[in-house]
Amino acid sequence: MKGCVLKLAGPRPLAEAISSAGGVRWSELDSALMVRRLPGIFVTGEMIDWDAPTGGYLMQGCFATGTRIARSALERLPASMRT
Ligand SMILES: Cc1cc2nc3c(=O)[nH]c(=O)nc-3n(C[C@H](O)[C@H](O)[C@H](O)COP(=O)(O)OP(=O)(O)OC[C@H]3O[C@@H](n4cnc5c(N)ncnc54)[C@H](O)[C@@H]3O)c2cc1C
């Protein structure tokens, strides 16, 4: 990510700028939010290509996807390590 060069073309209106559009496409993820091409790597929140109006929807989406990947990662652990 640090090697990704971004060319800034200009500012966007606040209504758009408050949520960073872009990110990993849903089609690249399985239902556990694991990157299909990188097994064991999960993405959440604004790492995923989605956005929403403000008013709590962004944070709710981040909390929901964060909870999902935490559960997904736990499910991949051996049973002896889950407690
Ligand atoms: C000014 C502003 C106001 C907002 N108001 C609202 C609102 O009212 N309601 C709402 O729902 N949403 C609001 N949002 C959007 C919401 O805050 C974000 O969508 C949400 O916080 C994104 O969560 P995230 O976990 O995806 O990313 P982030 O909260 O950005 O978390 C990413 C974390 O990763 C860390 N990090 C980055 N690089 C590395 C690295 N190399 N190694 C380790 N850690 C790293 C960062 O320090 C950061 O803690 C607002 C956003 C802004 C900017």
Side-chain angles (χ1 to χ4, degrees):
M1 291 297 282
K2 288 179 179 174
C4 178
V5 178
L6 295 177
K7 187 176 177 186
L8 301 180
R12 302 295 304 166
L14 185 60
E16 291 180 30
I18 205 163
S19 172
S20 52
V24 179
R25 289 186 187 138
W26 289 108
S27 58
E28 295 294 321
L29 307 177
D30 67 13
S31 62
L33 303 184
M34 184 168 70
V35 181
R36 293 181 202 279
R37 289 190 257 183
L38 297 170
I41 302 292
F42 300 87
V43 292
T44 182
E46 294 205 7
M47 297 170 82
I48 307 171
D49 185 12
W50 69 286
D51 56 78
T54 189
Y57 296 102
L58 288 155
M59 293 176 78
Q60 179 59 48
C62 293
F63 296 149
T65 53
T67 302
R68 183 69 187 103
I69 65 162
R71 290 187 177 142
S72 301
L74 274 175
E75 286 164 11
R76 284 177 61 89
L77 284 176
S80 60
M81 295 178 70
R82 287 186 207 157
T83 53

